[in-house]
Amino acid sequence: MEWVEKIEYTMTMEKFLTVDRSINILDVGCGTGLILKQLHKKGFKNLAGIDINNEAIKEALKNDEKINFYCMSVEELAWNYKEQSKKFDEMAFPDVIICNQILEHVREIDSFMSSVQELLSFNGLLCGSVPFELSRNSDNHIRAFNQHDINKILTSYFVNVEISTAGIYPDSIIFFECKKM
């Protein structure tokens, strides 16, 4: 694991050390499920991950049967929740949604953020990270962010937005945390 992933992993884990282990956590863009697997080892039970990469989901499913992994987009999941909630009085919407290193890959940012907002429970927490501007330039990065950009997007959908950075340019990361009200 390179240093950037270690920092992201550590920052994410620290948020959950004093949290009730029964909360519902969704990792959007979970890849092979590293963060969810570590949360499960720490005693969290209500964990799910989604990713549009079928191979990553297959790999995630190989290693842990106690975590729910699905190959779908956040927009598909939000639509499924809307349809299912018509049938049930109460559904377990995520209390926390994790989006580490995902937003720079998203083509339709408004659709993505609207879906995340719909899925998140009232007073729920969204946390995650993005690379700073072109710090980790990649052919599959659609957009670049600085603190102002990410703050503008997040404050359009959430409250109590907190942004911090780690690393030294050009390998900096922007971390974010915000709530749904």
Side-chain angles (χ1 to χ4, degrees):
M1 188 184 305
E2 65 180 84
W3 75 268
V4 172
E5 281 82 15
K6 286 181 182 176
I7 290 173
E8 289 171 339
Y9 171 77
T10 302
M11 296 282 285
T12 302
M13 288 298 123
E14 284 177 4
K15 290 185 187 331
F16 297 105
L17 292 179
T18 59
V19 174
D20 176 9
R21 300 298 195 254
S22 67
I23 64 170
N24 296 307
I25 300 174
L26 172 66
D27 188 352
V28 175
C30 67
T32 59
L34 173 67
I35 289 173
L36 294 173
K37 291 171 188 175
Q38 294 305 313
L39 288 169
H40 186 259
K41 287 180 183 176
K42 301 236 182 257
F44 290 89
K45 304 288 183 219
N46 301 315
L47 304 169
I50 61 170
D51 201 297
I52 59 171
N53 183 327
N54 194 42
E55 294 305 311
I57 293 298
K58 284 180 185 176
E59 188 64 30
L61 288 167
K62 280 185 198 176
N63 300 321
D64 202 319
E65 294 133 19
K66 295 185 168 87
I67 302 172
N68 297 310
F69 291 104
Y70 306 98
C71 186
M72 66 174 56
S73 69
V74 72
E75 292 88 351
E76 290 173 293
L77 183 61
W79 184 86
N80 287 334
Y81 260 73
K82 275 192 238 176
E83 290 301 306
Q84 294 300 317
S85 67
K86 293 175 186 173
K87 299 176 187 172
F88 305 103
D89 289 337
E90 193 169 314
M91 289 188 57
F93 285 89
D95 301 303
V96 175
I97 295 180
I98 301 168
C99 290
N100 274 341
Q101 300 291 319
I102 297 303
L103 298 180
E104 65 275 14
H105 302 278
V106 175
R107 290 194 190 286
E108 300 292 331
I109 198 78
D110 289 326
S111 174
F112 182 92
M113 295 306 291
S114 292
S115 296
V116 167
Q117 185 187 43
E118 286 177 27
L119 285 168
L120 197 58
S121 66
F122 179 75
N123 228 5
L125 177 70
L126 169 66
C127 62
S129 63
V130 294
F132 180 78
E133 292 179 342
L134 297 176
S135 61
R136 289 171 44 187
N137 194 8
S138 169
D139 291 338
N140 59 6
H141 286 187
I142 295 167
R143 65 187 76 243
F145 296 98
N146 59 36
Q147 291 96 324
H148 174 75
D149 298 333
I150 195 69
N151 187 60
K152 186 175 178 184
I153 291 168
L154 293 172
T155 55
S156 297
Y157 295 92
F158 300 97
V159 296
N160 299 341
V161 175
E162 295 180 21
I163 295 174
S164 61
T165 59
I168 300 169
Y169 188 82
D171 290 322
S172 304
I173 306 168
I174 301 170
F175 294 96
F176 59 86
E177 186 177 303
C178 45
K179 285 195 165 208
K180 176 180 178 178
M181 296 299 251

